[in-house]
Amino acid sequence: MKNKIILLVEDNPDDEELTLMALRKNNILNEVVVARDGVEALDFLFGDGLDSAAARKTMPAIILLDLKLPRMDGHEVLQRIRADERTRLLPVVVLTSSKEDKDRFESYSLGCNSYVRKPVDFAMFVEATRQLGLYWLLLNESPPGFPDFT
Amino acid sequence: MASTGMMTELPIQNRLCDRLRATARAAGALVVATGALVLVGWWARVELLKGLVPGAAAMNPVTAVCFVMCGVSLMSQLGKNRGAISSIGRWWALPVMMVGGLKLASHVLGWEFAVDQWLFAARTQEGGGRMNEMAPNTAAGLVFLAAALWFLGRERPEAVRLSEIFAMLVGLIALLAVVGYAYRVRWLYGLPAKMPMALNTALTFLVMAAGILAARPDRGLMEVVTGDSSGGLLVRRMFPAMVLAFVVAGGLILSGERRSGDLEEAAALHTVASIGIFGGFLLWCARSFHHADRTRRRLEEERERFFRLSLDLLCIAGTDGYFKRVNPAFCDVLGYSAGELLDRPFLELVHPEDVAATEAEMERLGAGQPTLHFENRYRCKDGSWRWLAWKTQPFDEEGVLYAAARDVTEQKEHALAILRLNAELMRQAARLEGVNQELESFSYSVSHDLRAPLRGISGFAQALEEHTADTLDPKGRGYLERVQQAAGRMGQLIDDLLKLSRLTRAEMKMEAVDLGRIAQELVTGYRAAEPERKVEILIAPDLWVRGDAALLRILMDNLIGNAWKFTSKHPAGRIEIGSTPEDGGKRFCHVRDNGVGFDKRYVHKLFGAFQRLHSQGEFPGTGIGLATAHRIIRRHGGRIRAEGEINHGATFGFTLEAAFEDP
């Protein structure tokens, strides 16, 4: 479990901090790579920079994707991920503030694996994070070939 | 249209014309037969066939041949089709003209040019010492007859007139002879030194003249005779009367004188008979004219009354651009006197913008095309403009237009008002569309951006609490807890607010919905959530309404949920859901409970968003339930109202369009 990394795509530092806090609280100690907008996220997944999936020779086990992002929004990121052979099967959980019909429809249409709305109440947020970690990192079996970069 | 109308108006005249043409054809046939019989008579020496009176003059065989040709000419000029005149038949008249002309010339100039001896020469020489020859008046008659037949087939009015004049000359010559025979006046039917005209020749001339006149009953003078005018009536009645009167009177005078030799007595009888017969016919005609005039005047008055009564503007206008006559409605609508309207070209009254179109329309009318619909504006005396819609029929021969116009100003104004309103409506719709879009993006941004900071507040308050667990006193912890609670509550409020705005934006799909069934499902849910509660719930059958199923479910959830909530402290809670039909295909539904009710004084606040009449501690909620219900009913075009009293329950009633279960 430890070698599975999490890609958190989140522009709000508060939310980033809270998410990391919630993960720690739940003893999820996997490495979390934070991308602060869509472009950074794609750079990590497809780029060949120092800190990239290619350099690490591993793909994230799970991507936690916010929708409202500067430069390139979550929906476009999701679309690019699904369009690329390397990341086509990667589990993506949309983790965002809104539960607008429009957002949910679009996310599922583009092929997200799950849609979770961040609760305002921190205790509930911690609980949601716990369940997410439990499910996606422990219970769920990755698609063949993941997370190792083959 | 107009021409068929004219045709149907004159069926009697048409029948008369048809009969006359048939008569003409019969006359031609009779003449041919007579000529042939005379020739047979000559050949077989039958005196009766040659001349009607044995011993008297017989018809010359050449004359007989001429008559046969004339008869053929007449018949062949009358085509088989009604009214058609063939011009080929007139060539038959040429030989007749030549024979007659030659004989006449020989009589006048004393030539011995015996055209009339070409046939049966031997036999014409025998008989009572005198040879049979063509009489001078017969020769003249044949010339005129040939001329009449020659002109019969021509279309030009002068030719028709000439044909009729020659035919009448022939008739006159023949009549002279016939009367001469009747009164035994020798010089009337033959010049003293010459052979007289035979009786059968005279009669045949008469028949021929009548036949030619009857051949074209709708042209020339005959048009008057056969016409439905008073003139036609006069001729048709008086001509036979005149003939009869003169013949009888002449006979009387003659017989009187012959019997008694008394000229005075004969003249007296003649006078009395003429006056009597003529007077009688005159009175008869006068009576007919009198009636006809009266009828005509009455019809004119009727038309005149309608003309004056019409609400539409009626006028007769000249192609010179002036009104010739206008009806009172014209004056009423436009405000001018009739004189003012007739005194100037009507184009002066037409709106400058409509002048070109009006002139174009006048040109079309000038070309004989009627106007079925044309609109232009006319200036009234007070300077205002009225829209007139015209229907106009030109009558070329008279150089006038008959026109009826209707004042359509109000319709025009209404149409313009509707157009304006429509444009206004479109603008409103566009504006609403804009507002809606704005609302959409507003709530989208609220949904994303307004909640994120709350999460920060809540999360970091929690973090702070944990971080300072050792140093913070209970009061400080309490404050932090309240910060978290406040953040949580604000999150809830934002969610509710979004829910409410989503109600207004959601697309509605109207269908028949059973509220009773929805209520039943909801109640099952409440009972499952709180199995320990004992509430009596009555749901009436047949609660079918028309609406959006999803919205109506939210409505019922709010109303029944409220009832469920506010009866929670009642030992024997009771909720009734029922309806009564209303006029106009509506249904009045209600949800009644016996719970804590509400203070009537605040009923107006009940349906406002985030308005609550109970404390959060007493009954939880954010206060959007009834606002939601109100919005849903309003979107369905219905009304909602509340009745209640503290501790005596509440009733929420609403109207929706009634529906019936789909079979």
Side-chain angles (χ1 to χ4, degrees), chain B residues 176-195:
Chain B
L176 216 57
V178 173
V179 171
Y181 275 110
Y183 296 167
R184 277 171 265 158
V185 181
R186 172 67 168 75
W187 68 268
L188 284 179
Y189 55 90
L191 295 174
K194 306 280 184 182
M195 174 87 188

Side-chain angles (χ1 to χ4, degrees), chain A residues 12 14-15 17-18 21 25 67-68 75 96-103 117-123 125, chain B residues 440 443-445 447-449 451-452 454-456 458-460 462-463 466 484 487-488 491 495 498 502 505:
Chain A
N12 184 337
D14 287 354
D15 272 0
E17 179 72 38
L18 288 170
M21 250 161 68
K25 260 181 166 326
L67 287 181
K68 258 194 118 185
H75 285 135
T96 189
S97 299
S98 108
K99 57 166 187 175
E100 290 279 304
D101 290 355
K102 196 168 79 176
D103 285 338
R117 190 188 184 216
K118 291 183 245 182
V120 167
D121 184 80
F122 186 65
F125 185 56
Chain B
E440 188 88 16
S443 35
Y444 187 76
S445 119
S447 180
H448 276 280
D449 301 337
R451 285 168 49 90
L454 288 175
R455 216 163 30 246
S458 169
F460 290 117
Q462 170 92 30
E466 285 169 15
Q484 284 187 64
D495 280 356
L498 287 173
R502 210 170 289 130
R505 288 178 289 142

